[in-house]
């Protein structure tokens, strides 16, 4: 009945965002994704002088792991609406990871055209965070214009910055404040779930993950965290289902490969576990977690020399502090105190 009413309304008022967005939302909630795309495409055709249907379609693409399609759509739309702030916001967001200079241009445009709009500093702080400019990000996000804004990203990122410093309680406080600003902001809930996991509160973690996955069943991070939680509680059947889905959707994700390695290790399949960790390291060479799991596997199977060989094979120019730390520990355990001392000094 709801669908019929909305379809009739969309036929009469094709340019009304309150109509087509509700219809698209209905289809999205029921996983009818082709219909979602069609609704936005029809709205685009009916409203050629308004970019809002395009923004809705781009958001749909992002929500369904189609970032490349979202980027292409937004960049194609930009020439027609060069001063549209919400469009610039979306473009800056999708360019942050691999086209940071172009993302910065969009942010600079926003801050120039609308200097009192807090979204500019919020985006700048986000860009700085993703570029590993952590001190700059913290300074930007703690400006009053950002800190007092009703954007959940601010406290979410400040929480992530606190977490990097090992300030777990401060991170938890920021994540809760982020949710307080917007209870539907899912990244903060996933991060809060991770904090609860590290604090040994699995029930609280599951409650947060349940909220995320109810709102967005395809959320990658929440599914990965749930798999880790299921592993810790030996719910192997649930882990198998999640891994099968993720391996099909994002086989080149290092976190998926790492969890597959942990699962196979726990199930007594050391060879498959090793391959999972090695694939994770190949995809993310600086993944401390994957190295730690691989080294643990080698130690558990009495192969410390293989762990030493793997760490030693990393070129010095690419070694991080954790490479030297683990190498020093292994060398010391093998009676190579002089070599261990050299590794620790580095």
């Amino acid at each position: 009945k709801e669908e019929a009413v909305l379809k009739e309304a969309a036929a009469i008022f094709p340019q009304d965002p309150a109509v087509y967005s509700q219809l698209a939302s209905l289809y999205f909630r029921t996983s009818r994704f082709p219909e979602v795309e069609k609704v936005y495409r029809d709205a685009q055709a009916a409203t050629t002088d308004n970019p809002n249907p395009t923004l809705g379609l781009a958001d749909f693409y992002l929500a369904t792991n189609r970032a490349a399609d979202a980027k292409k759509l937004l960049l194609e739309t930009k020439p027609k609406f060069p001063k549209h702030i919400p469009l610039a916001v979306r473009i800056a967001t999708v360019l942050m990871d691999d086209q940071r200079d172009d993302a910065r241009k969009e942010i600079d445009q926003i801050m120039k055209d609308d200097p009192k709009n807090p979204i500019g500093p919020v985006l700048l702080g986000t860009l700085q965070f993703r570029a590993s400019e952590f001190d700059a990000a913290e300074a930007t996000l703690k400006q009053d214009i950002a800190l007092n804004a009703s954007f959940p990203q601010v406290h979410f990122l400040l929480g992530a910055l606190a977490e990097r410093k090992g300030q777990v309680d401060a991170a938890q406080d920021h994540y809760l404040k982020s949710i307080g600003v917007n209870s539907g902001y899912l990244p903060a809930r996933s991060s809060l779930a991770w904090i609860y996991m590290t604090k040994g509160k699995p029930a609280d973690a599951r409650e947060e993950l349940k909220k995320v996955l109810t709102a967005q069943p395809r959320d990658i991070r929440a599914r990965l965290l749930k798999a880790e939680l299921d592993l810790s509680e030996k719910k192997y059947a649930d882990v198998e289902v999640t891994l099968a889905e993720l391996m099909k959707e994002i086989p080149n994700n290092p976190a998926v490969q790492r969890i597959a390695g942990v699962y196979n290790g726990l199930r007594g399949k050391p060879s498959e576990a090793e391959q999972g960790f090695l694939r994770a390291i190949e995809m993310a060479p600086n993944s401390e977690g994957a190295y730690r799991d691989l080294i643990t596997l080698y130690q558990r199977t009495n192969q410390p020399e293989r762990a030493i060989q793997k760490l030693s094979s990393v070129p010095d120019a690419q070694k991080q502090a954790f490479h030297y730390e683990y190498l020093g520990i292994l060398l010391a355990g093998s009676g190579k105190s002089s070599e261990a001392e050299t590794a620790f000094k580095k």
Side-chain angles (χ1 to χ4, degrees), residues 85-96:
I85 297 295
L87 177 60
V89 170
R90 299 302 202 290
I91 292 174
T93 301
V94 300
L95 296 181
M96 276 189 185

Side-chain angles (χ1 to χ4, degrees), residues 2-13:
E2 181 184 2
E3 178 183 357
V5 171
L6 289 172
K7 287 178 72 174
E8 182 178 356
I12 301 171
F13 307 106

Side-chain angles (χ1 to χ4, degrees), residues 258 261-262 265-266 270 273-274 277 281 287-308 310-311 326-327 329-330:
R258 177 177 169 247
V262 174
L266 291 172
E274 179 186 26
F277 298 142
I281 290 170
S287 172
E288 181 176 356
Y291 270 103
R292 182 178 60 248
D293 291 333
L294 180 63
I295 291 167
T296 300
L297 175 68
Y298 286 148
Q299 289 178 314
R300 195 169 64 242
T301 54
N302 297 315
Q303 301 179 80
E305 285 300 322
R306 292 194 69 179
I308 292 172
K310 181 59 183 176
L311 289 166
Y326 292 154
L327 188 57
I329 292 171
L330 289 164

